[in-house]
Amino acid sequence: MNFPSDVKYTKTHEWIKEEDGLMVIGLTDYAQQELGDIVFVNLPSEGDDVSMGDAFGDVESVKAVSDVNSPVTGTVAAINEDLADAPESVNSDPYGAWFIKVQDVSETEDLMDAKEYEAFCAAEKEG
């Protein structure tokens, strides 16, 4: 499993990193492995507001439909339209297949670094 150190992580298995003044958000490698083959991604529209801890979209896999939560409060500056045609890219490249970019961030939840998130996932697996 891949735990890049250049991103931060949430307890609901999203990753986030700052890029050119925007917060880029996607689904972690752990999440995509747990979900299985992703067949559909539902995203908000540019200009929509997102709130820390609330769902901004969902992913549908062969196993289930799961919410994707925002680790920040702000406004959607961009969506990854490529996911509409290629949702499976979340499985093949979870840290390249970003979902949304958020601007005007006013609130950020407590995030984990790679080591903390890896330990969190291990503990969750043991359940």
Side-chain angles (χ1 to χ4, degrees):
M1 207 168 314
N2 191 5
F3 300 96
S5 60
D6 65 334
V7 300
K8 297 287 186 183
Y9 301 89
T10 70
K11 290 181 177 174
T12 52
H13 306 292
E14 291 83 21
W15 60 262
I16 183 169
K17 69 178 176 179
E18 187 172 351
E19 192 175 89
D20 300 325
L22 300 175
M23 301 305 281
V24 184
I25 301 167
L27 209 56
T28 67
D29 191 20
Y30 178 88
Q32 70 81 20
Q33 283 188 8
E34 290 294 303
L35 288 168
D37 293 337
I38 293 173
V39 296
F40 182 75
V41 176
N42 181 32
L43 297 174
S45 299
E46 285 183 27
D48 284 357
D49 291 329
V50 293
S51 296
M52 181 181 77
D54 290 348
F56 65 77
D58 55 59
V59 292
E60 184 177 334
S61 72
V62 294
K63 293 182 181 178
V65 175
S66 299
D67 285 342
V68 182
N69 298 310
S70 181
V72 298
T73 296
T75 304
V76 177
I79 60 168
N80 187 349
E81 294 180 9
D82 294 343
L83 295 180
D85 295 326
E88 68 279 1
S89 63
V90 176
N91 294 114
S92 60
D93 185 12
Y95 299 101
W98 58 276
F99 284 44
I100 61 171
K101 294 182 179 182
V102 179
Q103 63 188 4
D104 303 327
V105 172
S106 62
E107 214 177 356
T108 304
E109 73 178 61
D110 289 334
L111 301 168
M112 295 177 274
D113 66 22
K115 286 190 184 321
E116 292 168 324
Y117 182 66
E118 189 171 359
F120 177 79
C121 290
E124 198 167 85
K125 267 283 206 227
E126 292 170 7

